[in-house]
Amino acid sequence: MPIAVDIDVMLARRKMSVGELADRVGITPANLAVLKNGRAKAVRFATLAALCEVLRCQPGDLLRWEADDAEDSGGSEDSKDSKDSDDG
């Protein structure tokens, strides 16, 4: 998945358990595990804000974008458009 979740990194930095974080954020440990393991399809801004408040971090500390392998191997639209252009 192109969006990676780094909640485990912040948990380790804060020396906090998944259960404690779930309790303080107000979500079930099972739902936190789904998010932490990258299986969530979406996350509410309210949940993200609560995670950031409890962990004292920014959203970018918890989420990051990773390029998909399939996208990297394909060509780009820019190379097609610039091949034979004569704007002169």
Side-chain angles (χ1 to χ4, degrees), residues 2-42:
I3 301 296
V5 182
D6 290 327
I7 290 175
D8 52 345
V9 173
M10 292 306 296
L11 282 171
R13 287 182 183 167
R14 302 294 185 248
K15 295 178 174 63
M16 189 181 297
S17 71
V18 172
E20 181 184 353
L21 179 60
D23 240 10
R24 293 176 63 183
V25 170
I27 61 176
T28 66
N31 283 340
L32 182 56
V34 167
L35 180 60
K36 186 173 90 69
N37 295 324
R39 295 189 315 262
K41 300 292 183 202

Side-chain angles (χ1 to χ4, degrees), residues 1-2 65-76:
M1 173 178 262
W65 178 81
E66 292 181 339
D68 223 1
D69 289 342
E71 290 176 15
D72 291 342
S73 62
S76 73

Side-chain angles (χ1 to χ4, degrees), residues 52-74:
C52 290
E53 184 178 346
V54 170
L55 293 170
R56 299 182 317 277
C57 67
Q58 294 294 313
D61 296 327
L62 301 177
L63 305 173
R64 65 187 155 78
W65 178 81
E66 292 181 339
D68 223 1
D69 289 342
E71 290 176 15
D72 291 342
S73 62

